Structures are given as structure tokens and as C-alpha cells.
Amino acid sequence: MSVGLVIVCHGSIGAAMVEAAEFILDESLKRIAVISLDQSGIQVPESAALTATMNASDNGSGVLILTDLQGATPCNLIAGAAKRQNGTPSADGTVAPVSVVVSGLNLAMLIRVWNYRDRPLEELRDLAIAGGQRGIGTAL
């Protein structure tokens, strides 16, 4: 099984990242759930919708959530939902899926995560961070 992937970003940034990664990898990344927050702040998803997306994305290996900007609304909302959900028993007594939030999404991070999505959640978190950092540099 592979880790579920969720992207939560401002506007259409998440969808554009997925589209660019699909072009580069020449494959569909439709298994990645994308939550877009309206730039005006008017359409903010409710906690239940965020939790439902995390649940739907988890196949038993946990969920890695990528956000665009640390401390911004998308990151804060999904981090709050993940914190409330992590370790909380569901109605049937089972433990909720483990979710990890990583901010600073860039294309290098997304491609790294997609290519290693079969790794354990904690390892994938570290690979996401390393991939994102390695994707930053100067061209000259």
C-alpha cells in the first residue's frame, strides 16, 4: 500500500502543481486529493470536509498533506484538522489515520513524494522535505 497524498493550497496552486508533475512524469496523479482555498477567504472548507478528504485518501498507510505556505490559512486549517484527527478513535473504536503536514510545497517536493509514495509515512515526510530543499538553488 502507498501513503495517501493530499495537497491544500491557496487558489489553484495545488492543481497547477499536479498538472505540471503529470506533464513531467507523463502519468496521471489523480490519486492525489487537492483542496483549493478561495483567494478571497470566503470559501473556507469546514473541518468535517478536510477530515473527510484525509479519510478518503488513507488506505491504511497514513496521509501526507502538502501545503504551500507555513503559517498561512491552508496550512493552519489542515494542520488543525490533522491534529484533531490523529490518534482519535473513530466511532468503531479504531484509531484514526495518521496524518503528517509538510509546508513549502514545490514541484521538486511533489515529484519526490509521488515517486516514493510506497515508503512509510515518516520516511516519506523526510523525503518530501529533502526533495523540496534540493529543488531550491541558483541556476547560474
Side-chain angles (χ1 to χ4, degrees):
M1 284 195 255
S2 62
V3 170
L5 303 173
V6 176
I7 295 176
V8 184
C9 291
H10 292 92
S12 59
I13 293 171
M17 286 277 194
V18 169
E19 184 179 335
E22 287 177 331
F23 175 77
I24 291 167
L25 296 170
D26 193 29
E27 65 179 293
S28 172
L29 278 65
K30 295 209 183 300
R31 290 187 9 217
I32 298 176
V34 177
I35 299 172
S36 301
L37 271 67
D38 184 288
Q39 300 269 6
S40 69
I42 294 170
Q43 294 183 340
V44 176
E46 296 197 15
S47 180
L50 297 173
T51 301
T53 300
M54 288 187 288
N55 285 339
S57 298
D58 185 32
N59 61 14
S61 297
V63 179
L64 180 67
I65 304 161
L66 306 175
T67 69
D68 53 357
L69 187 61
Q70 176 72 29
T73 301
C75 183
N76 293 342
L77 287 174
I78 198 68
K83 184 176 180 179
R84 285 187 297 277
Q85 186 183 38
N86 280 343
T88 304
S90 62
D92 65 359
T94 60
V95 175
V98 175
S99 301
V100 174
V101 180
V102 175
S103 64
L105 174 64
N106 62 28
L107 195 51
M109 179 188 291
L110 178 57
I111 290 171
R112 170 72 61 96
V113 164
W114 181 257
N115 285 331
Y116 292 98
R117 65 192 180 278
D118 60 335
R119 301 286 177 96
L121 181 60
E122 295 79 15
E123 183 180 347
L124 188 58
R125 174 201 58 215
D126 296 343
L127 287 165
I129 293 167
Q133 290 172 335
R134 286 188 191 122
I136 299 170
T138 59
L140 299 176

